[in-house]
């Protein structure tokens, strides 16, 4: 049963609090010398810089203060017991699909369970099964747990609305990470955002044209995407990371867009003052407080990139990877926003 899934502490903290926050002063990051990038969904990254950067981030493991652990566990215990998953759906996932790869933090199923539970607790008016299955038709690194020939079986296990969101998820995520989509929404006024009636785009797994064909579905879907990004946020140093961590940057942009459009439907607390401490500030404070916040790692290409490569270059590496992965499989990143007055077509395909 999902309520008793063995989440790590950061996921328990986010499930229990309904907050997006960093944990400077509460956790230390220590290098795991046994971490293997090839065992994760990021094994298909080709750029040496991208591989080094993601390896430097994912090899770090958190160690928490005992008092913080107790507070997180107490908050998590108060969460209402979750539902049992549909047996037929779980059988399909385990027997017909391949979710065996590791994710950014733990197993693939750890990530799916977290997204499912957060949706169930904090976005209760919509189906949480969308986020249990959000990666089933593809992840950003061209890993496909479910093959095209099994899509009809999946479709029969879901409601039409659930299927619409599930098949859209990998495509909209790539549009978000590539940047043009969020830039267009960010530049829009409240009235222009209110005029959006849907979006046309292409399904990642087979480049089939698909749509979210109502304002309701469009904004609900972006709330699902916000929950998903929550599971990729760094634990420390948001002030520095906001300019170079693609997931944190997209989370902030999407949160602000939903807030501006008055479409933030999920319960998720986030305040810009969370970006208040830099790495130098954090480490100075750590040294003054028995090193409770220190980051321990060996000097590597990944850490050199993180510390010395200009932030725009680091962000560009991530955005170009998204476009290259789509190009490899013939997937178009073009999209059209439907509005009450006109349709606006944009392309996020690779230009560099």
């Amino acid at each position: 049963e999902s309520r008793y899934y063995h989440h790590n502490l950061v996921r328990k903290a986010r499930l229990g609090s309904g907050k997006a926050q960093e944990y400077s002063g509460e956790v230390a990051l220590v290098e795991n010398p046994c971490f293997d990038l090839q065992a994760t969904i990021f094994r298909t990254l080709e750029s040496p810089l991208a591989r080094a950067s993601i390896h430097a981030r994912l090899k770090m493991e958190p160690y928490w203060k005992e008092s913080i652990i107790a507070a997180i566990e107490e908050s998590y215990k108060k969460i209402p017991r979750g539902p049992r998953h549909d047996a037929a759906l779980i059988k399909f996932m385990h027997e017909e699909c391949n979710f065996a790869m590791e994710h950014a933090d733990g197993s693939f199923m750890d990530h799916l369970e977290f997204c499912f539970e957060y949706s169930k607790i904090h976005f209760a008016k919509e189906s949480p099964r969308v986020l249990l299955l959000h990666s089933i038709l593809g992840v950003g690194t061209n890993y496909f747990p479910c093959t095209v020939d099994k899509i009809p079986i999946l479709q029969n296990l879901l409601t039409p609305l659930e299927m619409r969101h599930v098949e859209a998820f990998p495509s909209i995520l790539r549009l978000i990470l590539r940047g043009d989509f969020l830039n267009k929404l960010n530049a829009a006024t409240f009235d222009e955002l209110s005029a959006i009636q849907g979006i046309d785009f292409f399904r990642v797994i087979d480049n089939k044209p698909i749509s979210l064909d109502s304002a309701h579905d469009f904004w609900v879907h972006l709330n699902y995407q916000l929950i998903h990004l929550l599971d990729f946020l760094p634990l420390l140093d948001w002030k520095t990371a906001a300019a170079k961590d693609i997931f944190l940057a997209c989370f902030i942009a999407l949160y602000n867009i939903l807030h501006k459009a008055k479409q933030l439907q999920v319960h998720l607390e986030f305040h810009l003052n969370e970006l208040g401490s830099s790495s130098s500030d954090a480490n100075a404070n750590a040294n003054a407080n028995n090193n409770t916040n220190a980051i321990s790692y060996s000097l590597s290409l990944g850490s050199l990139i993180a510390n010395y490569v200009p932030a725009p270059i680091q962000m560009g590496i991530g955005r170009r990877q998204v476009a290259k992965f789509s190009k490899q499989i013939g997937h178009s990143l073009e999209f059209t926003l439907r509005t009450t007055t006109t349709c606006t077509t944009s392309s996020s395909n690779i230009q560099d």
Side-chain angles (χ1 to χ4, degrees), residues 17-19 118 121-123 223 227 264-269:
S17 68
K19 293 181 181 179
Y118 197 97
I121 298 163
H122 300 290
F123 194 33
N223 278 265
I227 295 170
L264 185 62
Q265 301 170 27
V266 59
H267 172 71
L268 205 169
E269 294 183 33

Side-chain angles (χ1 to χ4, degrees), residues 14 17 19-23 26 233-235 238 269 274:
R14 288 169 175 163
S17 68
K19 293 181 181 179
Q21 65 184 81
E22 65 168 73
Y23 295 95
E26 300 176 353
L233 302 186
L235 288 175
W238 283 14
E269 294 183 33
E274 291 292 340

Side-chain angles (χ1 to χ4, degrees), residues 114-143:
F114 166 79
C115 293
F116 170 85
E117 285 199 20
Y118 197 97
S119 180
K120 179 66 180 178
I121 298 163
H122 300 290
F123 194 33
K125 71 184 186 67
E126 303 295 338
S127 171
R129 300 204 302 175
V130 169
L131 285 180
L132 180 68
L133 298 164
H134 70 265
S135 296
I136 199 167
L137 296 182
V139 302
T141 55
N142 290 348
Y143 177 66

Side-chain angles (χ1 to χ4, degrees), residues 7 28 37-39 48 50 72 81 153 177 201 213 249 254 291 352:
H7 293 294
L37 190 67
Q38 286 300 109
I72 290 173
R81 181 174 175 174
I153 303 174
L177 296 177
F201 51 97
D213 53 9
L254 183 55
N291 225 30
D352 39 12

Side-chain angles (χ1 to χ4, degrees), residues 8 21 24 33 55 68 84 138 157 218 232-233 240 286 331 340:
N8 62 28
Q21 65 184 81
S24 296
H55 185 275
I68 300 301
R84 185 184 296 275
L157 293 169
F218 178 82
F232 290 86
L233 302 186
T240 301
H331 170 246
T340 53

Side-chain angles (χ1 to χ4, degrees), residues 209-313:
I210 58 174
S211 303
L212 293 171
D213 53 9
S214 71
H216 175 269
D217 289 358
F218 178 82
W219 293 113
V220 165
H221 191 85
L222 292 190
N223 278 265
Y224 280 132
Q225 293 283 349
L226 189 69
I227 295 170
H228 174 258
L229 289 172
L230 177 64
D231 200 35
F232 290 86
L233 302 186
L235 288 175
L236 303 175
D237 201 7
W238 283 14
K239 184 177 181 179
T240 301
K244 58 189 179 182
D245 185 293
I246 191 171
F247 295 107
L248 179 57
C250 288
F251 175 87
I252 294 169
L254 183 55
Y255 185 95
N256 287 337
I257 288 164
L258 289 169
H259 188 269
K260 179 170 66 172
K262 298 183 179 180
Q263 292 291 342
L264 185 62
Q265 301 170 27
V266 59
H267 172 71
L268 205 169
E269 294 183 33
F270 170 70
H271 306 286
L272 287 178
N273 60 14
E274 291 292 340
L275 306 180
S277 60
S278 68
S279 55
S280 58
D281 296 334
N283 285 324
N285 291 335
N287 292 331
N289 291 282
N290 299 318
N291 225 30
T292 55
N293 183 63
I295 303 175
S296 171
Y297 54 83
S298 60
L299 191 62
S300 65
L301 176 59
S303 61
L304 286 172
I305 291 171
N307 290 319
Y308 298 108
V309 173
I313 295 177

Side-chain angles (χ1 to χ4, degrees), residues 149-166:
D149 60 297
K150 293 175 181 175
I151 290 178
I153 303 174
L154 174 65
Q155 192 166 3
N156 288 335
L157 293 169
L158 303 176
T159 68
L161 181 57
E162 288 173 334
M163 185 64 196
R164 191 150 60 244
H165 285 297
V166 168

